[in-house]
Amino acid sequence: MSQQENGPVMRPWLDPDAVPFIRIRNITKKFGAFTAVNNVTLDIYHNELFCLLGGSGCGKSTLLRMLSGFEQPTDGSIEIDGQDMAGMSPCDRPTNMMFQSYALFPHMSVEKNIAYGLKRDRLPRGEIADRVAEILKLVQLEEYGTRKPAQLSGGQRQRVALARSLVKKPKVLLLDEPLGALDKKLREETQFELVNIQETLGVTFIVVTHDQEEAMSISTRIGVMDQGKIIQVGEPREIYEFPQSRFVADFIGSVNMFEGQVIKDTQSKVVIHCPDAQMDIEVSHGVSCASAQKVAFAIRPEKIQMSRTKPKKALNLTRGVVQEIAYLGNLSIYHVVLDSGKAVRVTRPNLERADEHAVTWEDRVYLYWDGTAGVVLNT
Amino acid sequence: MQRKSRLVLIAAILGFIFLYAPMVSLVIFSFNKSKLVTVWGGFSTKWYGELFQNAQILNAAGLSLRIAVISASLALVIGTIAAFVLVRFGRFRGRNLLTGMITSPLVMPDVIIGLSLLLMFVAMQNLIGWPNRGMTTIIIAHATFGAAYVAVVVQSRLRDMDLSVEEAAADLGAGAVRVFFDITLPIISPALISGWLLSFTLSMDDLVITSFVSGPGSSTLPMVIFSKVRLGVSPDINALATIIILIVSVGVIGAALAMRKKDMPHG
Amino acid sequence: MSMQAHIAEPGRAGKWVRTVSGWFAGRGRTLVIAIPMLWLLLFFLVPFLVVGKISLSEAAIARPPYLPIWNFEDGILTLSLNLGNFQFLAEDSLYFNAYVQSLQIAFFSTILALLIGYPMAYVIARAPARLRNLLLMLVILPFWTSFLLRIYAWIGILKTNGVINNILLSLGIIHEPLVMMQTNFAVYVGIVYTYLPFMILPLYSTLVKLDESLFEAAADLGARPLTIFLSVTLPLSVPGIIAGSMLVFIPVVGEFVTPELLGGPDTLMIGRQLWTEFFANRDWPVASAVAIVMLIVLVLPVMLLQRTQPDEAGG
């Protein structure tokens, strides 16, 4: 569902002349001695579905609350659609927020909840009714208008909260863990709904989440946060395939990390001496670093090939014994312990229903990958 | 937004001043040399000396203390059983009646409780020659309304209690009685303590019901204070009030500190 | 309790509850229920029946000072019900006025306590958690000190040569002392003062449960502080307002000490009237009739109202 496959037209962040819709400049927020958000600078473009991804306490929610106006930045500026937000109270901002707890008014019906923001704008009664009906249809809750929040299921409440924050047609919709309170199955369905609604309405979404799968499947771009800083910004594929740091590689998906030392560094390839992997790993892209520098080679479990027989041609090849197998249905996870004692995680799709030749416990296997399978990380 | 919340804050501060100004004035004038309670005549502690020589007040205080301890303990037993029955026994005949009777004393005007109990005692005495009006009747009256307060406090604690803790104990081999004394009672003990303290205080404080049910020669502290206050202000009452305020403050602050200490590990 | 049952149904709370009450099954269970039940029947419910009985009997100079309503003589049971006491209450406007004034004083005291207590409860509920307990303790502390002495304190403050008059006179704001004691003003001050904690505590417990994000959501949707208060905070504090008002209104209706000590002779309150009837006039049947009317007219409706209220305040 993500828009990463679309052409460059839909990817304004690749266009150096594109004007960002939201400009965050050197934003810092301190609570006493604690720095929650540390000098963040970020551009978000019109129509994006941008995810702020990070663990708890990384500052993502504080950043969102500064966008909505509930927290005043200690330093730095925020501009939305060319307008400086400094000193503007939440009720005047062109943003609306969908709260993690939904914050539905328990004493008001679904309709009244949704109409609340429109009433504050003193719209004529007829228009309010029309817009409430329209948004209820969009979130498929036409029949629930007169119910109280307590009479709804978790998924319905989530949709009311979404409708309430969208009905004012904000320039930016801020969503704080919008799917966090839903169970796994519902969450997956709702992800796609959320993306559909975003595409239909053309509102810029900023989503805070700690769930990397969620971030990967819905966003145009992801900003990974840690300790108040944005570590990497990029499209989901970029973040997954080309993490720029150990933190990002480790935080998104699972990864095998080999510590080593650069012994050869040319324009087109790097060779890393890795005692852990019992070999010198060759990577076919250059890394700009001092020679002999300590680096890590990161490779995703699904990028590692595995076989019991020795492959004819393999750029990087090592051996180990299968210690554990976790069968997950669509794929299996193998824990292979190399002769060096290093444990490596390998995933293989289960293509056949009954595979008699499948690798099994205690098998001695060869692990191998080519030069583009992994990345070198020096931070 | 700032201006409005400041207004609310000022209103709240005025509210606290309203709550404490009378108590502060009580304390200040207890150290007044002059007999005219409200005109400052210099610092003196003579009213405290006089208070401690006033046999009537001392006797009344002693009686009140004895009554309060006994009636609070009785109230604790009755109230706890009532709470346990209402929370854990499920449905039984007369459940609504018991609920109604245990909560009604909380909202019933004192004069009605006092009058009805007295008439009941008089009728009983005519029938079976018991009880004689005095300490016994006061204790029964106080235990009855005290039980209502204990029941409310203990009920809410029992409801909040995690049942799986009891299940765990049973699973590890404790019988039902063991579970009650080893697990349930310690867990609800804060409620038992506050319930006891509450009925103790209410007993020490009660004037109206006590006046109805007491007999000749059994005047409690509030009854003595009331008859003195009716005649006008007197500085030794201020001294008495100061002592009570001191005891209560030490008790409440101590309890708060103890609770804070207990809560510490949870942050 | 068998181990197997446990394995089959792990973590089922109902199982154990049934086992606990199993211990109290049959006779044991009845016995446990009987303890509070009998006590309350004997010392709470039956007394009301006695009051009802005596309210229907005739006053007499005797010990006890009333005539029995039934007589068993020569094998004939005669029952003589005397409605005279109630007739007396209905005819003497003193009692009617006392009932009305009790309601009036209770009503306005409740409103005043609400107006003073709400901002206090609000500030405490919105205070940082650390400060909250301290402030709450400050509200509860006066409640633990003697009720009588707190009323007494106001005598010293309000009387002609009391604290307020002394201060105002010495500042030259007034030249004649204000008469505040033995007025309804003093009664209001005393009642609101003593019952304020009963208003604040339920209000606080309702307000503290309100999620901060509700107010933020309202602000985010464009509401100004006053609108947030009127459209979100106030409607959601209704359960606390009702609970607090009950806790103030009901006991104030039957209040005796405050009107007796702070009020004047024209402060007619029904509790005070009952006291006078009983202690000064020694008319037990009329006192009983006053109590019965008070129960029927004032207390029962409020208790029924409370029962029909959905149990929201309890949480």
Side-chain angles (χ1 to χ4, degrees):
Chain A
M1 256 317 132
S2 86
Q3 297 160 351
Q4 65 200 9
E5 309 297 342
N6 295 341
V9 194
M10 293 297 289
R11 298 157 80 184
W13 47 92
L14 298 178
D15 175 5
D17 296 331
V19 182
F21 193 60
I22 301 165
R23 278 179 214 264
I24 299 169
R25 288 289 173 271
N26 307 99
I27 273 281
T28 297
K29 176 70 188 177
K30 290 182 179 166
F31 295 107
F34 174 70
T35 306
V37 173
N38 191 355
N39 198 18
V40 165
T41 294
L42 184 64
D43 283 335
I44 295 170
Y45 295 86
H46 196 248
N47 262 352
E48 264 206 85
L49 202 166
F50 192 94
C51 266
L52 287 167
L53 176 64
S56 65
C58 71
K60 57 190 192 305
S61 290
T62 309
L63 185 54
L64 198 74
R65 289 172 63 82
M66 284 193 282
L67 284 163
S68 61
F70 295 124
E71 303 288 355
Q72 296 303 317
T74 314
D75 206 5
S77 70
I78 295 172
E79 215 175 81
I80 297 175
D81 199 12
Q83 200 183 4
D84 187 9
M85 291 292 120
M88 196 186 276
S89 76
C91 52
D92 296 323
R93 292 201 181 200
T95 59
N96 278 134
M97 173 122 154
M98 187 186 147
F99 290 80
Q100 182 172 11
S101 63
Y102 305 150
L104 298 178
F105 306 127
H107 56 302
M108 297 182 197
S109 66
V110 168
E111 278 167 354
K112 290 244 171 72
N113 260 289
I114 296 174
Y116 190 86
L118 299 174
K119 278 189 195 148
R120 301 286 85 79
D121 288 349
R122 299 180 195 287
L123 294 182
R125 205 172 275 194
E127 193 186 337
I128 293 180
D130 291 346
R131 278 173 68 175
V132 169
E134 189 187 330
I135 200 94
L136 275 175
K137 198 170 169 204
L138 184 72
V139 297
Q140 299 162 27
L141 285 173
E142 293 108 310
E143 281 125 60
Y144 296 91
T146 54
R147 295 238 192 137
K148 290 275 179 73
Q151 297 166 306
L152 301 177
S153 71
Q156 290 166 337
R157 263 180 245 168
Q158 190 262 358
R159 299 214 292 274
V160 176
L162 182 65
R164 187 180 71 179
S165 50
L166 272 174
V167 75
K168 289 190 81 173
K169 299 184 180 148
K171 287 181 178 167
V172 182
L173 184 66
L174 309 166
L175 303 96
D176 191 357
E177 302 276 2
L179 310 173
L182 306 180
D183 57 50
K184 194 172 184 332
K185 190 124 187 144
L186 194 57
R187 195 158 59 215
E188 280 166 9
E189 288 167 20
T190 315
Q191 280 173 4
F192 295 117
E193 240 173 73
L194 202 63
V195 174
N196 278 337
I197 288 173
Q198 193 263 338
E199 282 170 356
T200 314
L201 296 180
V203 173
T204 308
F205 276 31
I206 301 179
V207 177
V208 153
T209 180
H210 68 278
D211 181 340
Q212 41 121 344
E213 268 180 46
E214 182 179 310
M216 302 280 286
S217 55
I218 64 175
S219 38
T220 53
R221 284 190 304 155
I222 295 172
V224 183
M225 284 190 78
D226 183 41
Q227 295 181 358
K229 289 191 166 170
I230 295 227
I231 314 243
Q232 188 175 356
V233 178
E235 292 170 35
R237 165 163 299 195
E238 210 178 322
I239 297 270
Y240 185 78
E241 304 291 0
F242 303 99
Q244 287 166 358
S245 61
R246 289 171 210 217
F247 177 83
V248 174
D250 201 32
F251 188 76
I252 315 276
S254 70
V255 74
N256 296 296
M257 208 87 81
F258 297 99
E259 303 294 330
Q261 212 169 11
V262 176
I263 51 172
K264 195 169 168 195
D265 185 7
T266 68
Q267 198 73 43
S268 61
K269 73 172 187 181
V270 191
V271 178
I272 305 162
H273 176 65
C274 281
D276 269 355
Q278 303 155 279
M279 62 170 158
D280 295 340
I281 298 171
E282 197 177 320
V283 183
S284 37
H285 66 79
V287 189
S288 51
C289 65
S291 76
Q293 191 185 331
K294 292 215 181 291
V295 292
F297 174 75
I299 183 164
R300 302 283 181 195
E302 73 277 7
K303 304 275 191 309
I304 300 177
Q305 307 288 324
M306 178 171 68
S307 78
R308 276 182 296 204
T309 52
K310 188 170 183 178
K312 283 185 190 116
K313 211 180 84 183
L315 191 58
N316 300 297
L317 179 74
T318 185
R319 294 193 72 177
V321 175
V322 176
Q323 200 116 82
E324 297 283 352
I325 305 174
Y327 175 76
L328 300 184
N330 56 342
L331 50 83
S332 289
I333 302 173
Y334 298 83
H335 277 232
V336 179
V337 176
L338 305 184
D339 297 340
S340 64
K342 165 97 178 165
V344 177
R345 216 174 139 93
V346 181
T347 55
R348 296 280 86 199
N350 293 316
L351 301 174
E352 316 235 341
R353 290 178 67 192
D355 188 357
E356 277 149 35
H357 304 291
V359 172
T360 183
W361 284 273
E362 304 299 331
D363 276 356
R364 252 192 105 69
V365 289
Y366 292 93
L367 301 181
Y368 55 100
W369 58 87
D370 64 22
T372 58
V375 289
V376 180
L377 303 171
N378 49 20
T379 49
Chain B
M1 198 149 162
Q2 282 299 312
R3 201 170 54 88
K4 191 206 151 216
S5 58
R6 198 169 302 156
L7 236 96
V8 175
L9 193 66
I10 289 170
I13 291 171
L14 286 176
F16 276 107
I17 292 175
F18 175 61
L19 272 183
Y20 279 88
M23 292 168 71
V24 171
S25 92
L26 271 184
V27 174
I28 291 175
F29 286 106
S30 76
F31 295 107
N32 190 4
K33 203 178 244 163
S34 158
K35 174 126 183 89
L36 287 166
V37 170
T38 50
V39 181
W40 188 251
F43 182 85
S44 157
T45 54
K46 69 173 175 182
W47 302 114
Y48 289 86
E50 221 154 274
L51 180 72
F52 286 113
Q53 272 152 26
N54 188 330
Q56 193 196 10
I57 286 185
L58 291 182
N59 287 341
L63 179 70
S64 276
L65 270 175
R66 260 178 294 155
I67 290 174
V69 168
I70 300 172
S71 68
S73 308
L74 206 54
L76 184 68
V77 174
I78 300 165
T80 306
I81 296 175
F84 194 79
V85 161
L86 288 175
V87 175
R88 292 294 178 78
F89 271 27
R91 288 160 169 274
F92 58 88
R93 241 173 206 247
R95 189 175 202 285
N96 286 337
L97 179 68
L98 187 61
T99 312
M101 288 195 302
I102 200 78
T103 51
S104 294
L106 302 177
V107 291
M108 198 63 72
D110 286 351
V111 280
I112 297 186
I113 297 183
L115 177 74
S116 62
L117 266 173
L118 169 71
L119 297 181
M120 166 77 183
F121 289 141
V122 171
M124 272 176 80
Q125 208 189 5
N126 283 346
L127 272 173
I128 58 172
W130 185 88
N132 277 320
R133 271 191 275 162
M135 199 170 147
T136 318
T137 49
I138 299 175
I139 288 172
I140 292 175
H142 288 190
T144 306
F145 67 73
Y149 286 88
V150 172
V152 169
V153 176
V154 174
Q155 255 179 303
S156 74
R157 183 86 187 185
L158 275 174
R159 284 216 183 88
D160 292 345
M161 200 183 137
D162 182 7
L163 278 179
S164 62
V165 184
E166 288 185 356
E167 289 183 317
D171 188 60
L172 295 169
V177 181
R178 269 237 85 86
V179 170
F180 181 78
F181 284 100
D182 287 358
I183 309 294
T184 318
L185 219 50
I187 288 179
I188 63 171
S189 65
L192 300 184
I193 293 170
S194 54
W196 189 89
L197 283 174
L198 194 58
S199 38
F200 175 85
T201 314
L202 289 167
S203 167
M204 284 297 289
D205 205 18
D206 179 72
L207 168 71
V208 175
I209 297 173
T210 316
S211 299
F212 275 99
V213 299
S214 82
S218 53
S219 288
T220 61
L221 191 58
M223 290 169 74
V224 173
I225 296 173
F226 183 65
S227 60
K228 279 184 81 94
V229 167
R230 250 184 173 169
L231 302 175
V233 284
S234 69
D236 50 348
I237 296 294
N238 282 51
L240 180 65
T242 305
I243 292 171
I244 292 178
I245 290 172
L246 185 75
I247 293 172
V248 168
S249 306
V250 168
V252 170
I253 292 168
L257 286 180
M259 268 196 293
R260 174 170 291 184
K261 216 172 203 172
K262 231 177 176 179
D263 288 343
M264 269 313 196
H266 309 290
Chain C
M1 131 166 329
S2 79
M3 207 62 191
Q4 250 169 354
H6 248 274
I7 293 162
E9 286 182 284
R12 287 284 295 272
K15 198 96 196 163
W16 168 241
V17 174
R18 254 175 279 135
T19 328
V20 167
S21 38
W23 174 59
F24 297 110
R27 205 174 298 160
R29 183 180 147 102
T30 315
L31 208 73
V32 173
I33 297 175
I35 298 171
M37 191 71 115
L38 286 180
W39 180 282
L40 289 165
L41 278 176
L42 189 58
F43 297 120
F44 189 73
L45 198 64
V46 174
F48 285 114
L49 303 179
V50 178
V51 173
K53 191 195 96 180
I54 293 172
S55 72
L56 294 171
S57 60
E58 224 169 310
I61 301 172
R63 275 182 78 103
Y66 56 87
L67 296 175
I69 57 169
W70 52 66
N71 218 351
F72 192 70
E73 233 165 62
D74 306 327
I76 302 166
L77 179 72
T78 48
L79 193 68
S80 54
L81 296 184
N82 172 24
L83 292 172
N85 302 315
F86 292 96
Q87 206 180 342
F88 175 64
L89 295 189
E91 279 164 6
D92 196 335
S93 65
L94 179 78
Y95 295 97
F96 180 75
N97 289 342
Y99 279 117
V100 170
Q101 208 175 358
S102 296
L103 283 178
Q104 199 182 334
I105 289 178
F107 178 76
F108 287 114
S109 311
T110 307
I111 301 282
L112 284 172
L114 182 61
L115 290 179
I116 299 173
Y118 198 103
M120 294 177 76
Y122 186 86
V123 166
I124 300 172
R126 295 278 148 245
R130 206 162 251 265
L131 206 58
R132 213 182 288 158
N133 284 335
L134 178 77
L135 292 174
L136 214 52
M137 197 181 75
L138 282 178
V139 170
I140 298 170
L141 197 127
F143 165 80
W144 290 92
T145 63
S146 167
F147 167 73
L148 200 53
L149 291 173
R150 278 181 290 149
I151 296 290
Y152 166 76
W154 281 104
I155 300 178
I157 294 173
L158 295 175
K159 65 183 188 156
T160 315
N161 56 351
V163 177
I164 291 183
N165 274 322
N166 285 348
I167 291 174
L168 291 181
L169 282 172
S170 67
L171 291 176
I173 295 170
I174 53 167
H175 301 288
E176 288 286 306
L178 301 169
V179 178
M180 289 177 287
M181 268 300 289
Q182 304 199 323
T183 62
N184 278 3
F185 169 75
V187 175
Y188 277 117
V189 170
I191 287 178
V192 170
Y193 178 69
T194 42
Y195 287 94
L196 193 56
F198 293 95
M199 181 60 90
I200 294 175
L201 294 178
L203 277 177
Y204 163 80
S205 63
T206 308
L207 286 172
V208 79
K209 269 186 255 159
L210 296 184
D211 190 350
E212 186 76 30
S213 66
L214 288 175
F215 309 128
E216 288 183 351
D220 184 64
L221 293 167
R224 314 258 150 207
L226 187 66
T227 318
I228 297 178
F229 177 76
L230 292 176
S231 64
V232 180
T233 322
L234 198 59
L236 288 176
S237 43
V238 164
I241 293 175
I242 291 177
S245 300
M246 294 282 190
L247 286 181
V248 175
F249 184 87
I250 301 174
V252 170
V253 168
E255 183 59 36
F256 161 72
V257 179
T258 318
E260 179 72 14
L261 292 182
L262 298 180
D266 54 341
T267 310
L268 292 174
M269 284 189 77
I270 200 63
R272 198 182 179 190
Q273 218 51 47
L274 191 153
W275 181 286
T276 314
E277 235 25 275
F278 185 84
F279 286 103
N281 303 346
R282 277 188 66 78
D283 193 336
W284 292 17
V286 167
S288 301
V290 170
I292 293 292
V293 173
M294 187 150 123
L295 209 59
I296 293 169
V297 177
L298 307 176
V299 181
L300 278 186
V302 182
M303 280 170 70
L304 287 177
L305 185 78
Q306 201 174 26
R307 184 151 297 178
T308 52
Q309 273 296 318
D311 197 20
E312 278 174 276

